[in-house]
Amino acid sequence: MGIYLVSVTAEDWHGADEGGRAEIASGLNRELGRRGLAPYVPGPGPAPRFEEKLVPSMDGFVELCREHGVDDLLAWSVLVPVSLDSEITVATQEEPEEPVAIAGAPQVLLMAELLAASVPLPPEVLAPSGPLALTSWYLDASAREVPGADTTFHTALHLHAARHCLAHGCPMVYS
């Protein structure tokens, strides 16, 4: 199976059934209220689906994040199109000992752009082209020609995820 980074529909964000994120959504909105911010409501209408499988090792990406002082890029498991001055954590009944870390897409985008400026991203990974496009690139033979393809993959993944989240007003989650 593996781990996927996927966009979440408004229905699934507020849904209480399996796969629904209602507990996270309400916890986020409580914390936003404490910070004096408006509640987050996913954008209306269907957005194009975002999906990428985390296939490659993250070792090089972790090191790159540390070199550039953007360790926060490694901490989130939910991304929302809301500017957050710091990460929000929400405890859930399913995993009370492991709170869900929520990051703001504007901040993730800034960190990803900083990394992208230091990593040569080939043209084929710069333009998003549908679900699993980056994963397909990584599994294709052409990725083996790119030095540090693992780091390139994760840098492009974070860049695309933040852009998609902001462009379509939809949350992103690891599943």
Side-chain angles (χ1 to χ4, degrees):
M1 285 268 322
I3 296 174
Y4 289 84
L5 178 59
V6 298
S7 55
V8 178
T9 65
E11 182 179 300
D12 286 341
W13 182 247
H14 293 293
D17 58 338
E18 186 175 336
R21 309 296 195 286
E23 195 174 8
I24 296 169
S26 63
L28 169 64
N29 285 340
R30 272 192 309 277
E31 184 58 32
L32 290 173
R34 279 190 218 126
R35 294 178 182 201
L37 300 171
Y40 165 64
V41 178
R49 179 126 178 99
F50 182 98
E51 177 183 6
E52 292 294 348
K53 184 173 183 180
L54 278 63
V55 176
S57 165
M58 287 189 71
D59 294 345
F61 183 68
V62 169
E63 184 59 35
L64 182 67
C65 288
R66 290 194 175 126
E67 285 173 17
H68 289 278
V70 293
D71 291 6
D72 290 348
L73 196 54
L74 304 167
W76 60 270
S77 55
V78 175
L79 187 63
V80 292
V82 175
S83 185
L84 300 174
D85 56 358
S86 62
E87 173 185 292
I88 290 176
T89 56
V90 174
T92 62
Q93 288 182 348
E94 188 175 312
E95 297 284 339
E97 301 301 317
E98 292 186 37
V100 174
I102 303 170
Q107 289 73 25
V108 167
L109 180 60
L110 289 174
M111 290 184 275
E113 287 175 339
L114 174 71
L115 297 182
S118 69
V119 174
L121 297 178
E124 59 268 23
V125 302
L126 284 173
S129 58
L132 299 171
L134 190 56
T135 303
S136 295
W137 168 81
Y138 181 79
L139 296 173
D140 187 58
S142 65
R144 291 185 209 110
E145 298 171 12
V146 175
D150 291 1
T151 302
T152 298
F153 173 89
H154 288 288
T155 302
L157 173 70
H158 283 78
L159 192 64
H160 290 312
R163 287 178 177 165
H164 186 91
C165 183
L166 289 167
H168 301 290
C170 62
M172 311 288 284
V173 299
Y174 285 102
S175 65

